[in-house]
Amino acid sequence: MKYKFALTVIGFTMLSSVNSQEKKQEKPKDSIQELDEVLINANAMFGSKYVAKNRTGSSYYVSPEELKKFTYTDINRVLRAIPGVSFYEEDGFGLRPNISLRGTSPERSAKISLMEDGVLIAPAPYSASSAYYFPSVARMQAVEILKGSSQVQYGPFTTGGAINMISTQIPDSFKGQFRANLGSFNTSQIHAKVGDSKPTLGYMVEFLNYNSDGFKTLPDNSNTGFDINEVVAKFRVNSKAEAKLQQSIEAKFQYSDEVSNETYLGVTEADFADAPFSRYAASQEDQMNAEHVQLMLTHTLDFTKNFRITTNGYYNKFSRNWYKLDDVIFNGDKQKISAVVSNPSSFSDHLGVLKGDINSTDDALLVKANNRAYISKGLQTKFDYHWYGDNTFHDIEVGVRYHYDEEDRFQWEDGFNIIDGNMNKTSDGFRGSQGNRISSATALATYAMYKFKYNKLTLTPGLRYESMILNREDFGSDDPDRNGFDLTERENRFDIFIPGMGFNYAFTNNVSVFGGVHKGFSPPSNQPGQKAEESINYELGSRFAFGNLRGELIGFFNDYSNLLGSDIAATGGTGSLEQFNAGEVNVNGIELLLNYDLLPNDPKFKLPLTFGYTFTNTEFQNSFGSDNDIWGEVEAGDELPYIPKHQFNAMLSLEHNKYELNISGRYNGEFRTLAGSGDIANDELVASNFIIDFSAKYHFSKLLSFTGNIINMLDETYAVSRVPAGLRPGHPFGANLGLELRF
């Protein structure tokens, strides 16, 4: 049965906060305070450093101040300082990130819950979760990362964690900002926003343009960069301050468009060694065109200071056509570009065609129009009630979400030849011949969480329930009008309970122990009978403060009973999204975060030092075979690919009221690109790297600042991945200068 429903608009938050109840007397904040402070907005998961560090599970809050230090536009660089987060890059600018939390499969960030303002933001999180759209972190006010047992509040992915990006909020008074910078590779950014609040009204309008000519080069000197525009507008109406019943309604509109001259075609080992930033001539037609629209309406209702209901309706639409090279033919032999680049000695003539060194016949290059449209919409609400006893604190949260999403594929493949290095179209593909189907999902999700605090102990038991119907209608390769004469359908229904329990015990105000256990879950595909990905996840950690040193040390263990793999083109597969069972896998590791103030008593200067380290160990518990380039033939004892064992990040800042200097270095350990064990073969290795970034600001006044950034300050040349089709380089040395005006 297929559900079709239209939900216009908008609003809920996965975790809202309630205003603090007046206390009879002020108490010093300790590591298990009630945590009922006002959050940054109703759509935050926790909303401040204090609340984040005091949860019963592991969490991290990237504050507005932290985001301003480097003014990154690349989400990978924002997340690199956070223990437990790993990723592999693809384009060097973070346009399509591949993020893993605690060893989840990183491909297209498809195994973590991605949210913006508390609402699922992946194009189709249930039916096609690969994140080909990712919000620009340049316009975000804060970023929240949640791991551990309290994930039962946020689904559908509960194994590794959730990332919530908080967009620019409506300010309390009239404020605005204009920022512009220009740098290497003609990379530039213009970011402007203005907003105001009156007693019962508020608004915010924002514009962002981010573009670059790209750091890779084509033989014909074509542009290899991108151009992205984003517009966000918010409008709020709220009760008067003296009203007994406090409520507000906020409307949000977001629009973005992207043109990026990106490709799946990388280069061979030999060519990477000679010219790592070169692209083959056969990728000159590759281009992504995309648009994204979000409509969201949020209503909050405070019955009392202790009881709040927050409701959202939301509608996201994402359309994209990534026109990119898929196959190459020589003397009638058709090969995938990934096969040619990974085995150039066997396909030297095919490689010559890709490079443009060999003139080809007509239709020797097949460029696929990966044309897809996505819809994600739903209604969700959350009830939050808390109360106090003599030595206790109680909080109950209950949430419900009704959600629908779909991926509509209508793809074709055009033929080209290449003559003297220039591509010429030689045939138009039959529309729908390379994919003509609609995959959809209808899901009902509910959760309940109870927080109980007694003296030094806090407990947070929770339970989540997910019920989903996953469908696919395939119209075949010869029905562009979708008359249905060759229609095939399939359906998979799935229900699951996801329990979790967390605890926190404070020995003193400066030392606490926390931990928990919860069920990990990732939705299955629409293949009938396909099992979901399931695991049992454990963590145990301590937060501590000794003098000027503050830190957190966590151990985690994820015990997968059924890991799912997906046939994703971004990892060298066919792009069918068909899933397969990878069986039992163990993932365990250690996360360490330290903060130390080197000048605690200096009235003019601050010199904070931050260090983060992650150790991740992975091991398949059974053997299986896969045609996917990121898995291959797997034996028991093999390690997961694309997950480095060791990562660390260090950042040192010198802060003064007139200027600040920041330097950050990240070590990303080597990782294998196919499942395996022992020493990593050279053709399956992405070597370790250590990349240093630098930023500086000089404040002419409270209203005007001069900014400067350097990416990859030592100009290291390094590979970041071997997928989708060959080696790909990281961002080389790049510098930019800018001005920031505030009013």
Side-chain angles (χ1 to χ4, degrees):
M1 178 179 179
K2 180 174 176 62
Y3 286 85
K4 289 281 188 182
F5 64 93
L7 289 175
T8 315
V9 5
I10 313 289
F12 162 52
T13 173
M14 289 269 180
L15 180 62
S16 59
S17 169
V18 255
N19 293 329
S20 296
Q21 185 183 30
E22 292 182 0
K23 313 291 191 303
K24 294 180 180 179
Q25 60 181 11
E26 289 294 322
K27 294 188 291 184
K29 290 181 178 179
D30 61 24
S31 62
I32 49 170
Q33 194 76 14
E34 283 87 332
L35 311 185
D36 58 343
E37 316 175 333
V38 177
L39 301 184
I40 191 170
N41 80 327
N43 298 312
M45 295 194 294
F46 27 89
S48 74
K49 284 287 186 190
Y50 175 71
V51 176
K53 79 182 183 67
N54 286 288
R55 295 182 69 91
T56 56
S58 174
S59 57
Y60 193 93
Y61 176 79
V62 185
S63 68
E65 291 73 24
E66 286 176 281
L67 285 178
K68 290 175 183 176
K69 283 185 180 293
F70 288 89
T71 59
Y72 283 136
T73 53
D74 183 345
I75 186 65
N76 294 319
R77 295 187 122 79
V78 170
L79 298 177
R80 69 183 193 168
I82 302 168
V85 179
S86 60
F87 53 81
Y88 67 87
E89 299 181 61
E90 186 171 322
D91 51 69
F93 292 98
L95 302 183
R96 275 160 287 280
N98 300 278
I99 302 169
S100 166
L101 297 179
R102 290 186 171 172
T104 57
S105 298
E107 309 95 86
R108 286 288 179 264
S109 311
K111 292 297 181 71
I112 58 179
S113 295
L114 296 173
M115 296 178 284
E116 180 178 334
D117 293 332
V119 164
L120 294 172
I121 201 62
Y126 283 84
S127 58
S129 60
S130 297
Y132 286 88
Y133 165 77
F134 203 93
S136 294
V137 73
R139 64 173 176 83
M140 296 302 159
Q141 186 163 316
V143 179
E144 302 174 310
I145 299 93
L146 181 68
K147 300 165 286 180
S149 60
S150 50
Q151 284 181 66
V152 296
Q153 297 163 281
Y154 317 103
F157 304 94
T158 65
T159 301
I163 296 177
N164 183 38
M165 288 156 283
I166 302 173
S167 65
T168 302
Q169 301 301 295
I170 297 174
D172 295 332
S173 59
F174 181 73
K175 292 180 182 178
Q177 176 183 294
F178 177 82
R179 184 174 72 238
N181 57 52
L182 178 66
S184 305
F185 317 111
N186 280 332
T187 302
S188 67
Q189 182 185 147
I190 294 175
H191 187 197
K193 55 186 176 184
V194 63
D196 193 10
S197 284
K198 301 300 182 184
T200 58
L201 298 172
Y203 74 91
M204 190 283 300
V205 180
E206 182 175 26
F207 170 76
L208 171 69
N209 174 262
Y210 176 40
N211 67 85
S212 176
D213 287 349
F215 57 80
K216 299 173 188 174
T217 57
L218 278 161
D220 65 352
N221 294 316
S222 297
N223 186 296
T224 62
F226 59 90
D227 192 355
I228 297 173
N229 294 290
E230 293 220 35
V231 176
V232 182
K234 296 182 179 182
F235 181 74
R236 186 194 66 236
V237 179
N238 56 270
S239 305
K240 292 182 179 180
E242 61 271 19
K244 290 185 178 180
L245 194 65
Q246 290 291 317
Q247 59 182 319
S248 68
I249 187 165
E250 180 178 306
K252 174 188 175 185
F253 167 79
Q254 180 269 338
Y255 170 82
S256 65
D257 61 52
E258 172 191 340
V259 177
S260 54
N261 301 304
E262 269 300 328
T263 180
Y264 270 19
L265 182 59
V267 297
T268 66
E269 191 99 34
D271 289 331
F272 187 86
D274 291 339
F277 304 111
S278 293
R279 273 176 44 178
Y280 295 152
S283 68
Q284 63 191 253
E285 294 291 326
D286 290 12
Q287 185 179 85
M288 162 81 89
N289 285 271
E291 287 187 342
H292 184 270
V293 174
Q294 182 188 57
L295 301 172
M296 181 172 161
L297 194 66
T298 301
H299 178 258
T300 60
L301 177 61
D302 291 329
F303 287 99
T304 68
K305 290 183 178 180
N306 295 359
F307 182 29
R308 168 177 285 190
I309 298 177
T310 308
T311 306
N312 283 58
Y314 57 92
Y315 175 87
N316 296 310
K317 183 177 182 180
F318 178 58
S319 58
R320 58 92 154 178
N321 187 355
W322 197 342
Y323 195 64
K324 62 181 185 290
L325 183 67
D326 199 38
D327 301 296
V328 56
I329 301 172
F330 184 83
N331 283 346
D333 182 21
K334 179 180 176 181
Q335 294 292 334
K336 286 286 184 184
I337 56 173
S338 57
V340 173
V341 176
S342 63
N343 195 3
S345 60
S346 299
F347 303 108
S348 57
D349 292 326
H350 293 77
L351 183 62
V353 174
L354 293 180
K355 292 182 176 182
D357 296 337
I358 298 176
N359 290 340
S360 76
T361 58
D362 290 354
D363 293 355
L365 298 173
L366 300 179
V367 181
K368 184 183 289 187
N370 291 269
N371 181 53
R372 304 174 194 175
Y374 301 83
I375 290 175
S376 174
K377 56 188 177 181
L379 183 69
Q380 56 188 27
T381 190
K382 182 225 157 183
F383 304 80
D384 191 318
Y385 179 69
H386 67 267
W387 70 96
Y388 302 88
D390 292 337
N391 296 306
T392 60
F393 170 75
H394 308 262
D395 182 83
I396 294 178
E397 299 175 5
V398 179
V400 180
R401 179 178 66 214
Y402 189 53
H403 174 93
Y404 172 83
D405 64 50
E406 71 175 30
E407 179 206 46
D408 186 338
R409 292 191 175 204
F410 190 67
Q411 304 180 165
W412 62 93
E413 201 167 53
D414 295 333
F416 286 78
N417 66 21
I418 188 165
I419 305 295
D420 298 330
N422 295 310
M423 292 176 63
N424 309 282
K425 184 184 282 191
T426 52
S427 67
D428 291 314
F430 187 75
R431 295 316 192 245
S433 60
Q434 296 296 315
N436 186 7
R437 68 176 193 249
I438 299 174
S439 299
S440 63
T442 303
L444 174 67
T446 65
Y447 77 88
M449 177 166 282
Y450 172 53
K451 181 184 297 179
F452 170 74
K453 172 183 177 285
Y454 175 73
N455 291 334
K456 297 181 178 183
L457 177 66
T458 301
L459 298 175
T460 54
L463 181 66
R464 183 177 189 84
Y465 171 70
E466 291 266 3
S467 177
M468 61 200 72
I469 303 174
L470 303 136
N471 294 276
R472 191 176 84 174
E473 295 177 309
D474 194 332
F475 295 90
S477 60
D478 195 30
D479 186 9
D481 297 324
R482 293 184 169 174
N483 294 313
F485 57 79
D486 194 26
L487 178 65
T488 59
E489 298 182 77
R490 68 189 196 188
E491 178 181 286
N492 191 16
R493 293 173 177 256
F494 200 86
D495 299 88
I496 190 169
F497 285 96
I498 305 168
M501 166 69 87
F503 78 93
N504 185 315
Y505 186 83
F507 294 97
T508 69
N509 286 351
N510 296 322
V511 179
S512 65
V513 172
F514 66 93
V517 57
H518 74 282
K519 188 178 184 65
F521 168 75
S522 179
S525 72
N526 49 44
Q527 296 164 255
Q530 173 69 60
K531 296 180 180 179
E533 180 174 284
E534 296 186 38
S535 62
I536 302 297
N537 307 317
Y538 311 85
E539 73 171 353
L540 182 65
S542 175
R543 299 184 181 101
F544 50 86
F546 302 106
N548 300 320
L549 176 67
R550 292 175 292 113
E552 185 174 276
L553 178 63
I554 304 170
F556 66 89
F557 176 65
N558 296 344
D559 185 3
Y560 288 88
S561 58
N562 182 44
L563 180 73
L564 285 183
S566 296
D567 183 5
I568 301 175
T571 59
T574 66
S576 70
L577 298 186
E578 298 286 13
Q579 294 187 340
F580 55 90
N581 297 322
E584 299 179 13
V585 179
N586 290 340
V587 179
N588 56 74
I590 297 172
E591 301 167 359
L592 173 66
L593 181 64
L594 298 173
N595 296 278
Y596 188 79
D597 189 352
L598 296 171
L599 297 174
N601 301 315
D602 195 305
K604 293 184 178 180
F605 294 95
K606 292 182 179 180
L607 194 61
L609 173 65
T610 299
F611 176 82
Y613 170 75
T614 302
F615 169 78
T616 309
N617 182 63
T618 67
E619 184 177 328
F620 284 97
Q621 302 299 299
N622 59 285
S623 304
F624 69 95
S626 165
D627 294 329
N628 193 301
D629 279 2
I630 203 170
W631 297 98
E633 293 294 324
V634 177
E635 299 291 336
D638 284 353
E639 297 173 333
L640 285 169
Y642 281 86
I643 304 293
K645 275 187 177 293
H646 303 281
Q647 305 169 86
F648 73 80
N649 187 88
M651 183 170 71
L652 181 65
S653 299
L654 177 63
E655 301 173 3
H656 185 268
N657 61 358
K658 292 293 293 182
Y659 61 86
E660 65 177 86
L661 304 173
N662 304 289
I663 188 167
S664 174
R666 174 181 172 87
Y667 172 82
N668 206 56
E670 67 178 20
F671 56 82
R672 59 181 73 250
T673 59
L674 283 176
S677 59
D679 295 335
I680 306 174
N682 288 336
D683 60 351
E684 298 175 7
L685 170 71
V686 171
S688 62
N689 58 74
F690 183 69
I691 305 301
I692 298 175
D693 293 348
F694 175 80
S695 74
K697 288 186 179 181
Y698 183 81
H699 307 295
F700 294 104
S701 68
K702 291 182 179 180
L703 303 180
L704 182 63
S705 299
F706 174 79
T707 65
N709 276 36
I710 298 176
I711 293 174
N712 193 357
M713 188 166 70
L714 301 182
D715 197 18
E716 294 290 327
T717 300
Y718 62 104
V720 294
S721 74
R722 291 180 180 268
V723 291
L727 281 164
R728 313 177 76 83
H731 197 298
F733 176 92
N736 67 74
L737 299 174
L739 288 174
E740 184 178 302
L741 175 65
R742 299 170 294 277
F743 55 91

